[in-house]
Amino acid sequence: MRTLRIFLVYAIFLELAYGLALPIPCTASFADHIFRVGQDQENTSFWTQLPGQLDFTMRTLVYGTYQDVARTTQNPENDFLQIPRYLGNLELRPDIAFSSGRLDLRLKPRMNLRWLAWEEGTREGDEDLEDDWYVNEWLLRLQIDPSLYASYGKENLQWGPSYLFSPSNPFFANNGRLNPIIEIPGMDFARLVWIPRMEWTISLIANTDEGRQEFNSLEFQKTYALKLDYSGHQGSAGLVLSHEEGGEDRIGTFGVWTASDTLLLYTDFNFSRNSNSFYPVPDETSPFNASMQSKNINNSSWKSTAVFGASYTLLFGPTLTLEYLYNEAGYSDEQAELYYQLRKDASEAYTDIESLEGLALMTLGHTADPGIRFFRKNYGILRVNQNNIRNVLNLSFSWIYNIDDSSGIFHSEMEFFVGNHARCFAIGGLYTGEDNEEFGDLLHSFLILGVEYTF
């Protein structure tokens, strides 16, 4: 009955969306019917122009996901994270935009109907059906004068050229490029943007609320940033200065240089201090002889994270991309050894020692999300992609390699376009890591297959 109700609502929503997508009839006689006779011509003109200022796009996605869950100390018997083996999603993603003079409105409401099935752990054999209705992004922007804008809303602010992630972004650790099907939850931002010249943009940004983002081990902290952007003929660059109320300071910068018609060079890095990230440290007071602690709090030493990359387009079409990531905040070999031993001890206590279950849960929570995007210090990526193959096919293959522990991810994407409104897509990942290595400690592999229709 619940499923029938959801699908009825879905059908009604589609009908309403289709109606909104059509041009709204608005003749002078209709305006006269709405407004009093004798209303000034300016208001009548505004009403007449209103339909031309409303843009509506509806995307409908249907896709399924298979996940081969790894049996590791981070997720003992899949009882801690309870990762489902199968997922099926039906999503409605309408995008609504309205512009009127100096005022811009953006709204991205979402509906997600999801089926889940488990084949490991205490939930083995379970199935569940969930429906989620929410607004992922919205924006209200006012043009104060031709070069000055003020806005507030829930946004996904992304920048930077790198594929892995953007170190200079103090707000989002995930740029969404590894899985473009899954939308990144928006957070609340207030922004003041000044464009003194065509090449320059200066932004004041305040991250005031976590929105739909989830902060597991770390609590959300308001963050304030000053961002300077330059865009020239052969390249672009940016500088980002930010401060988090929890204490972390960051200096970030990124740049892109078009060296030739076929070669693109880029970098993206930051310096940070007073991070709240968790690190494994010896602890004689703990039954595990170690614990996860935010040992960098009040530590004024600066640590760097940098991405260096190059993309080269071959004459016959494909683009080759190489990236190197240096992550000074990552764990050393000694810290990694202590981390995995602590995780192993907490995992055994979680399953076998009832009196330590609470401490084990807290420890596994910190080891699952210690607050750093990548655990170790050195990474490399090789990516090959080609778009518009016979005007219908996009292909991408990537190898992400942890140089410190030799684990890796083979990642592939395919898009096949059918007409002007539909596409089929497939995204897959194969992890080569073991239990005591970064990649592969949650999944052995995954596969997403689906279709999208846009109108």
Side-chain angles (χ1 to χ4, degrees):
M1 193 67 182
R2 181 188 180 198
T3 304
L4 178 61
R5 174 176 59 85
I6 292 173
F7 274 100
L8 285 174
V9 173
Y10 168 68
I12 295 171
F13 193 8
L14 275 180
E15 181 67 24
L16 290 173
Y18 179 72
L20 283 173
L22 295 175
I24 302 174
C26 192
T27 62
S29 60
F30 180 73
D32 289 341
H33 177 72
I34 298 298
F35 295 105
R36 296 191 305 270
V37 176
Q39 185 153 2
D40 62 272
Q41 182 64 31
E42 181 180 355
N43 287 341
T44 304
S45 175
F46 171 79
W47 179 262
T48 306
Q49 294 176 8
L50 182 60
Q53 297 168 337
L54 179 66
D55 293 323
F56 182 91
T57 302
M58 170 68 78
R59 291 183 296 149
T60 302
L61 291 88
V62 180
Y63 59 95
T65 304
Y66 166 81
Q67 301 180 130
D68 184 7
V69 181
R71 295 178 178 270
T72 66
T73 55
Q74 181 56 68
N75 186 25
E77 303 300 326
N78 197 32
D79 290 336
F80 178 66
L81 296 176
Q82 298 184 354
I83 301 173
R85 172 68 66 91
Y86 303 103
L87 299 94
N89 289 71
L90 168 63
E91 295 189 24
L92 287 180
R93 297 181 181 179
D95 293 345
I96 305 167
F98 173 74
S99 298
S100 176
R102 297 184 174 184
L103 183 66
D104 291 321
L105 301 174
R106 302 288 185 270
L107 185 65
K108 295 185 178 182
R110 298 293 186 254
M111 185 215 78
N112 185 1
L113 175 64
R114 181 168 59 177
W115 169 80
L116 308 93
W118 287 263
E119 289 197 357
E120 295 87 11
T122 56
R123 299 205 64 178
E124 181 179 358
D126 285 357
E127 295 185 14
D128 198 4
L129 185 64
E130 302 174 347
D131 61 287
D132 195 8
W133 307 73
Y134 58 93
V135 175
N136 194 54
E137 296 184 49
W138 65 270
L139 179 68
L140 173 62
R141 185 177 68 173
L142 177 66
Q143 182 182 12
I144 300 174
D145 69 35
S147 62
L148 186 63
Y149 298 83
S151 67
Y152 188 83
K154 184 179 295 181
E155 299 182 86
N156 171 25
L157 294 182
Q158 299 288 344
W159 60 76
S162 63
Y163 180 73
L164 281 174
F165 82 120
S166 178
S168 63
N169 190 332
F171 307 114
F172 292 91
N174 183 7
N175 61 12
R177 293 178 182 173
L178 278 176
N179 191 345
I181 299 302
I182 306 301
E183 289 189 311
I184 296 177
M187 294 196 292
D188 289 8
F189 292 93
R191 291 196 289 157
L192 186 65
V193 180
W194 180 40
I195 309 175
R197 298 182 60 180
M198 183 178 298
E199 302 89 352
W200 295 94
T201 302
I202 301 173
S203 304
L204 294 175
I205 307 172
N207 181 197
T208 60
D209 190 82
E210 69 266 36
R212 300 193 68 254
Q213 277 282 341
E214 294 184 359
F215 292 80
N216 298 319
S217 296
L218 303 179
E219 294 183 0
F220 168 78
Q221 301 287 346
K222 293 181 179 180
T223 303
Y224 310 94
L226 169 65
K227 185 169 181 278
L228 175 66
D229 290 279
Y230 170 80
S231 180
H233 178 65
Q234 285 190 296
S236 60
L239 175 67
V240 186
L241 308 177
S242 66
H243 172 73
E244 183 185 273
E245 285 189 353
E248 184 175 17
D249 299 311
R250 296 166 59 110
I251 302 173
T253 185
F254 59 91
V256 181
W257 177 45
T258 305
S260 69
D261 292 339
T262 58
L263 179 61
L264 186 73
L265 303 176
Y266 57 87
T267 185
D268 193 327
F269 61 90
N270 81 68
F271 297 94
S272 63
R273 65 178 181 180
N274 300 332
S275 169
N276 292 323
S277 302
F278 286 90
Y279 289 79
V281 296
D283 185 358
E284 295 181 356
T285 65
S286 170
F288 308 137
N289 294 317
S291 61
M292 298 292 289
Q293 298 181 16
S294 297
K295 72 170 191 172
N296 281 359
I297 293 179
N298 299 321
N299 184 349
S300 60
S301 63
W302 292 86
K303 293 189 176 182
S304 61
T305 303
V307 173
F308 302 95
S311 292
Y312 184 80
T313 302
L314 302 176
L315 292 177
F316 58 94
T319 298
L320 304 179
T321 301
L322 284 172
E323 282 189 10
Y324 168 71
L325 165 64
Y326 174 69
N327 180 35
E328 188 179 1
Y331 296 163
S332 64
D333 290 341
E334 294 77 13
Q335 289 173 323
E337 183 179 357
L338 182 60
Y339 167 86
Y340 287 113
Q341 183 60 49
L342 171 60
R343 201 174 78 175
K344 179 177 181 293
D345 293 340
S347 176
E348 292 175 351
Y350 174 72
T351 56
D352 299 331
I353 306 176
E354 185 176 352
S355 61
L356 295 179
E357 183 177 352
L359 178 61
L361 278 172
M362 183 182 69
T363 301
L364 290 175
H366 288 158
T367 57
D369 182 18
I372 51 178
R373 180 66 176 87
F374 292 94
F375 284 8
R376 303 302 299 274
K377 294 182 179 294
N378 299 280
Y379 297 82
I381 179 172
L382 171 63
R383 183 169 184 255
V384 181
N385 70 287
Q386 184 169 359
N387 296 333
N388 297 321
I389 302 173
R390 296 186 180 274
N391 295 318
V392 296
L393 181 63
N394 296 338
L395 292 176
S396 172
F397 302 96
S398 304
W399 173 248
I400 303 170
Y401 183 63
N402 183 325
I403 299 172
D404 295 316
D405 68 14
S406 300
S407 62
I409 307 173
F410 176 74
H411 187 267
S412 62
E413 299 176 35
M414 183 201 73
E415 290 181 301
F416 185 83
F417 294 89
V418 182
N420 296 324
H421 299 281
R423 68 169 179 141
C424 305
F425 56 84
I427 301 174
L430 179 64
Y431 299 81
T432 64
E434 302 294 337
D435 189 12
N436 60 343
E437 296 170 346
E438 179 174 3
F439 298 133
D441 64 352
L442 296 181
L443 297 176
H444 292 308
S445 62
F446 75 91
L447 178 64
I448 302 174
L449 298 174
V451 295
E452 176 181 335
Y453 186 81
T454 303
F455 62 88

